């Protein structure tokens, strides 16, 4: 059996290690490998896909609730707007900046920025309404330079350049795959009209046949935005999202 | 009636000689208007006594100059302002941090300690219910007596040019006695605080006190044996320390090493900051202090370090000896002394960037084992060196 204990050092080893420690300290004192960014005066250059403060474009939103469904922290709540649509609001007290909402947004209505320094005075202010998400927040810029982290060989070093980093990135929003909702089993339809009630774009219509005592539901593929709300809410689960 | 001219001649005969002042004086006299003002000020006299000249002469009078300027209070005060900043800055560089910076960023946060002092000054001094009120407040101030009195015996001069307030044959002994007195006040302050952390700190302080004190005294004793005197004025010129080959650290490196480790233990610096271990007992004996009294307690370790570093400079690094700087005269010795002391202090304070803290049993075993052996060996070595030098010369 091998026993693990403290290593035994004799005097020469000890002297060697003491000298080594002191000389390392002296070397670092003269030429430190300092990688500190002096934050308010300079900013670290973040990648374009940095997961920061989120902006919202209501023109692209199809009110599909995907962001709200996917949010693991339950930070996104949909609020109804005067236009009858539902738009997301973000509670930054809960948000963990995973940006699943941005990744899941089919229309590209949500997008990220490089803003990571937002301060709130109260907890209530952290609940960001849709109107506040449309325009980027007011930022007081004190920085005069940008810092890039450069990895050369083994060591990390800083590269400082005198320029202002643009915090609002212009990333092309994902177009997504155009989807449309179809009914796969018309015989099972109960005609409960849940799909009709929930549809934001008015793509679902019903035709009442008085003689046969039946109601026929129809989905207009042109009007359908492919938000998938009817698929989620269908009581018989006979609706599917398919590619247009 | 006071014999003014006699008094002035006494002062003038025993003053620090700085030729640069005469150069500046002659340069000022050549400037048209300013020269007239300077000449008038220097000739201005009341009751036959030139006022400005007397003041300048009094400042340059050796007993005053050595006590107040170099190596006395002004040097100590400057060190206290500069040293903690340098320590934080250099240890920060070692650990890839920045250190103090936000206060006066253009000089890299150099007035950080001044700002801290203001903060301490305007903070409330809280005396908690369990404390022995009078002792609690008195001990930090009483601590100043053993810290400041050694300044009287520090010699910043070189061979033949002593810059020391009081010359006595017992200077080193008195300094050691005063240094040894300091832990008593720390333990007293910790006892008066009546707190469990300060109690643990006091016990640790007492343990460490016994661990370093004996090797420390033997190390100094070895140097007294080597030089054959304990007068600080003669120690510098004892073995002709003007050449660096005759410095104490070359003649007896073992005593120097022992003294340095004892210094780290005595000032509670890492790796021996056992009594004040921040993470364990929260500044130990001084845990209950607030405001300016805490500021005093915080600064006292640095004062003690200055006194010990000054003793080390005198004993092992040739005091103020060094290349003579032109036009500065005797002041150049003082400058060399301050530079050497500062370098020793920087090495001492920057140990905390290198070493972790020892456990108390390890520190005690170092003190009673390795250091005591080294100190005794240094004493024997001193005797051998004295005999060898006596035979050769």
């Amino acid at each position: 059996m091998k026993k693990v204990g403290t290593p035994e050092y004799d005097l020469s080893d000890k002297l060697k290690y003491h000298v080594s420690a002191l000389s390392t300290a002296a070397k670092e004192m003269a030429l430190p490998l300092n990688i500190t960014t002096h934050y308010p005066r300079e900013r670290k250059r973040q990648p374009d896909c940095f997961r920061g403060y989120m902006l919202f474009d209501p023109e692209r939103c199809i009110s599909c609730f995907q962001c709200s469904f996917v949010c693991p922290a339950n930070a996104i709540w949909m609020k109804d707007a005067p236009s009858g649509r539902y738009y997301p609001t973000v509670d930054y007290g809960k948000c963990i900046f995973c940006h699943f909402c941005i990744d899941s947004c089919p229309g590209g209505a949500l997008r990220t920025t490089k803003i990571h320094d937002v301060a709130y005075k109260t907890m209530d202010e952290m609940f960001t309404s849709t109107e506040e998400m449309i325009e980027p927040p007011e930022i007081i810029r004190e920085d005069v330079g940008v810092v890039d982290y450069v990895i050369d060989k083994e060591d990390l070093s800083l590269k400082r350049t005198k320029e202002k980093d643009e915090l609002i990135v212009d990333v092309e929003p994902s177009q997504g795959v155009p989807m449309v909702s179809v009914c796969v089993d018309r015989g099972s339809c109960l005609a409960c009209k849940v799909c009709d009630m929930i549809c934001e774009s008015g793509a679902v219509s019903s035709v009442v046949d008085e003689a046969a005592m039946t109601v026929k539901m129809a989905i207009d593929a042109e009007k359908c935005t492919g938000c998938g709300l009817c698929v989620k809410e269908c009581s018989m689960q006979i609706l599917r999202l398919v590619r247009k | 009636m006071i014999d003014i001219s006699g008094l002035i001649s006494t002062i003038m005969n025993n003053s620090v000689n700085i030729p640069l002042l005469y150069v500046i004086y002659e340069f000022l006299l050549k400037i048209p208007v300013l020269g007239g003002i300077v000449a008038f000020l220097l000739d201005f006299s009341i009751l036959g006594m030139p006022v400005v000249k007397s003041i300048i002469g009094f400042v340059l009078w050796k007993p005053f100059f050595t006590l107040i300027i170099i190596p006395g209070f002004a040097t100590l005060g400057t060190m206290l302002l500069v040293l903690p900043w340098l320590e934080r800055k250099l240890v920060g560089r070692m650990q890839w941090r920045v250190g103090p910076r936000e206060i006066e960023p253009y000089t890299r946060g150099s007035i950080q300690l001044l700002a801290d002092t203001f903060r301490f000054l305007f903070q409330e001094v809280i005396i908690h219910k369990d404390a022995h009120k009078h002792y609690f407040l008195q001990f930090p101030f009483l601590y100043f007596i053993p810290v400041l009195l050694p300044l009287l015996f520090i010699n910043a001069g070189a061979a033949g040019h002593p810059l020391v307030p009081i010359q006595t044959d017992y200077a080193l002994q008195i300094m050691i006695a005063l240094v040894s007195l300091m832990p008593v006040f720390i333990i007293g302050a910790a006892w008066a605080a009546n707190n469990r952390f300060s109690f643990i700190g006091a016990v640790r302080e007492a343990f460490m006190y016994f661990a370093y004190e004996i090797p420390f005294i033997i190390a100094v004793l070895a140097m007294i044996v080597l030089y054959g005197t304990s007068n600080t004025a003669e120690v510098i010129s004892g073995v002709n320390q003007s050449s660096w080959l005759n410095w104490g650290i070359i003649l007896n490196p073992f005593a120097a090493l022992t003294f340095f480790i004892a210094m780290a233990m005595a000032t509670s610096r890492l790796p021996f900051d056992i009594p004040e271990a921040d993470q364990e007992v929260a500044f130990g004996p001084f845990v209950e202090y607030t405001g300016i009294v805490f500021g005093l307690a915080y600064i006292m370790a640095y004062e003690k370090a200055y006194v010990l570093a000054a003793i080390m400079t005198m004993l092992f690094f040739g005091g103020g000896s060094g290349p003579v700087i032109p036009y500065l005269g005797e002041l150049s010795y003082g400058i060399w002394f301050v530079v050497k002391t500062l370098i020793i202090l920087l090495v001492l304070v920057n140990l905390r960037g290198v070493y972790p803290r020892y456990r108390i049993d390890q520190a005690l075993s170092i003190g009673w084992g390795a250091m005591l052996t080294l100190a005794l060996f240094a004493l024997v070595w001193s005797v051998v060196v004295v005999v060898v030098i006596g035979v050769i010369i």
Side-chain angles (χ1 to χ4, degrees):
Chain A
M1 192 178 79
K2 200 171 181 185
K3 216 176 169 182
V4 180
T6 49
E8 294 281 327
Y9 297 123
D10 57 7
L11 191 62
S12 65
D13 283 339
K14 279 181 184 172
L15 277 179
K16 202 171 70 188
Y17 292 137
H18 278 291
V19 170
S20 150
L22 288 170
S23 61
T24 308
K27 201 185 83 187
E28 292 299 336
M29 204 155 47
L31 298 165
L33 278 172
N34 200 327
I35 51 166
T36 308
T37 307
H38 297 281
Y39 157 63
R41 290 175 287 279
E42 57 190 26
R43 277 169 182 266
K44 187 183 162 190
R45 193 196 299 280
Q46 309 288 4
D48 283 351
C49 55
F50 181 75
R51 291 167 197 257
Y53 188 85
M54 283 173 288
L55 291 185
F56 176 66
D57 182 7
E59 296 297 315
R60 290 172 175 276
C61 183
I62 57 169
S63 303
C64 67
F65 285 60
Q66 277 297 338
C67 46
S68 179
F69 286 132
V70 84
C71 182
N74 207 7
I76 297 184
W77 287 57
M78 304 300 280
K79 289 279 162 72
D80 53 345
S83 61
R85 308 279 296 274
Y86 285 86
Y87 291 134
T89 60
V90 180
D91 185 359
Y92 278 105
K94 291 179 181 172
C95 180
I96 57 171
F97 293 94
C98 65
H99 283 202
F100 284 1
C101 46
I102 290 171
D103 295 340
S104 69
C105 186
L110 285 166
R111 63 195 175 101
T112 180
T113 61
K114 293 187 193 176
I115 302 166
H116 58 82
D117 38 3
V118 186
Y120 299 94
K121 281 176 187 159
T122 58
M123 290 293 280
D124 295 338
E125 275 180 44
M126 300 183 87
F127 192 87
T128 313
S129 66
T130 309
E131 290 82 22
E132 289 166 333
M133 289 171 67
I134 294 170
E135 287 296 316
E138 182 198 353
I139 311 170
I140 300 163
R141 295 286 292 267
E142 290 177 42
D143 53 321
V144 290
V146 185
V147 174
D148 287 296
Y149 282 71
V150 185
I151 299 170
D152 45 350
K153 288 165 191 163
E154 290 172 359
D155 288 335
L156 199 63
S157 62
L158 294 185
K159 191 171 136 253
R160 291 190 160 90
T161 38
K162 286 254 176 202
E163 59 172 290
K164 269 198 172 187
D165 199 11
E166 190 53 54
L167 295 181
I168 313 294
V169 283
D170 232 357
V171 182
E172 188 65 26
S174 71
Q175 295 301 318
V177 182
M179 305 291 263
V180 67
S181 175
V182 294
C183 188
V184 291
D185 185 3
R186 287 196 169 275
S188 301
C189 182
L190 296 175
C192 61
K193 292 195 182 178
V194 165
C195 44
D196 190 10
M197 280 186 279
I198 209 159
C199 186
E200 297 277 340
S201 49
V204 182
S205 56
S206 55
V207 181
V208 183
D209 190 347
E210 293 284 349
M213 294 288 284
T214 54
V215 180
K216 276 190 179 174
M217 307 298 294
I219 297 170
D220 187 354
E222 290 300 313
K223 284 185 181 174
C224 181
T225 54
C227 66
L229 280 177
C230 51
V231 176
K232 283 204 178 64
E233 294 298 326
C234 179
S235 52
M236 292 306 286
Q237 301 195 345
I238 53 172
L239 293 174
R240 296 281 184 275
L241 269 183
V242 296
R243 292 191 177 215
K244 217 170 197 174
Chain B
M1 188 68 190
I2 310 162
D3 183 10
I4 293 172
S5 59
L7 192 69
I8 290 174
S9 70
T10 313
I11 290 177
M12 288 298 174
N13 287 336
N14 190 19
S15 65
V16 179
N17 181 26
I18 306 174
L20 185 67
L21 289 183
Y22 298 106
V23 176
I24 291 173
Y25 172 61
E26 279 167 14
F27 176 75
L28 283 179
L29 279 186
K30 282 176 196 163
I31 300 172
V33 182
L34 199 65
I37 297 172
V38 169
F40 171 75
L41 276 178
L42 286 175
D43 288 338
F44 179 69
S45 59
I46 299 169
L47 299 171
M49 183 173 160
V51 180
V52 180
K53 256 186 191 173
S54 313
I55 292 171
I56 294 173
F58 185 65
V59 169
L60 290 178
W61 186 38
K62 264 186 184 173
F64 183 86
F65 184 85
T66 48
L67 184 62
I68 301 297
I69 299 175
I70 294 175
F73 293 107
T75 315
L76 176 65
T78 317
M79 288 276 186
L80 291 185
L81 277 181
V82 168
L83 194 64
W85 170 70
L86 269 178
E87 173 193 5
R88 291 174 66 179
K89 213 64 194 169
L90 292 177
V91 174
R93 282 170 84 88
M94 271 184 215
Q95 296 171 343
W96 298 5
R97 294 185 284 109
V98 180
R101 187 196 156 102
E102 291 306 317
I103 295 172
E104 189 60 38
Y106 294 107
T107 52
R108 309 275 157 183
S110 60
I111 59 165
Q112 175 72 43
L113 203 84
L114 214 59
D116 288 350
T117 313
F118 272 106
R119 178 186 159 275
F120 283 139
L121 268 173
F122 293 112
Q123 206 177 19
E124 186 191 356
V125 176
I126 300 167
I127 303 166
H128 57 289
K129 208 167 66 182
D130 292 340
H132 297 254
K133 189 178 172 185
H134 303 291
Y135 300 126
F136 184 71
L137 277 181
Q138 280 164 10
F139 272 121
F141 291 98
L142 282 176
Y143 188 49
F144 265 94
I145 297 167
V147 163
L148 292 182
L149 277 182
L151 293 180
L152 288 173
F153 308 102
I154 293 174
N155 180 9
H161 300 278
L163 277 177
V164 52
I166 294 176
Q167 289 193 34
T168 157
D169 282 343
Y170 305 102
L172 280 173
Q173 284 92 331
I174 295 171
M175 287 166 95
I176 292 169
L178 288 169
V179 167
S180 306
L181 200 60
M182 293 173 191
V184 177
F185 292 101
I186 297 179
I187 293 169
W191 169 74
N194 205 359
N195 174 292
R196 70 193 74 165
F197 289 128
S198 60
F199 174 74
I200 296 171
V203 173
R204 289 180 173 197
E205 175 76 36
F207 268 118
M208 292 301 292
Y209 176 46
F210 287 112
Y212 73 78
E213 201 60 42
I214 294 165
F216 172 73
I217 290 172
I218 295 176
V220 178
L221 190 65
M223 296 319 284
I224 293 175
V225 167
L226 187 67
Y227 295 131
T229 174
S230 58
N231 186 343
T232 44
E234 290 169 21
V235 157
I236 302 301
S237 49
V239 198
N240 185 19
Q241 288 208 359
S242 51
S243 160
W244 67 271
L245 279 173
N246 287 328
W247 282 3
I249 193 166
I250 306 289
L251 293 173
N252 196 341
F254 312 106
L257 186 60
T258 317
F259 192 95
F260 187 74
I261 299 172
M263 201 160 107
M265 283 188 176
T267 49
S268 294
R269 311 293 312 170
L270 271 170
F272 300 108
D273 73 332
I274 296 161
E276 294 172 2
D278 291 358
Q279 300 91 333
E280 297 164 16
V281 289
F283 219 59
F286 308 109
V287 64
E288 291 286 1
Y289 284 103
T290 47
I292 190 63
V293 192
F294 176 78
L296 288 179
Y298 173 79
I299 219 74
M300 264 182 240
Y302 289 97
E303 290 171 7
K304 195 175 179 182
Y306 172 70
V307 169
L308 288 170
I311 298 176
M312 186 159 186
T313 312
M314 284 188 298
L315 286 182
F316 300 103
F317 292 93
S321 61
V324 176
I325 305 167
Y327 293 117
L328 283 186
E330 287 182 315
L331 192 65
S332 73
Y333 305 125
I335 288 172
W336 281 116
F337 178 84
V338 171
V339 167
K340 285 173 183 175
T341 313
L342 188 62
I343 289 171
I344 294 172
L345 281 171
L346 283 183
V347 174
L348 179 75
V349 296
N350 285 318
L351 284 181
R352 66 174 260 213
V354 184
Y355 291 111
R357 186 186 310 129
Y358 280 109
R359 285 197 317 267
I360 184 140
D361 60 315
Q362 289 171 326
L364 287 179
S365 106
I366 289 173
W368 286 104
M371 271 172 69
L372 189 59
T373 319
L374 203 63
L376 288 171
F377 184 75
L379 188 58
V380 175
W381 181 265
S382 276
V383 174
V384 170
V385 168
V386 168
V387 170
V388 167
I389 287 179
V391 168
I392 289 173
I393 301 167

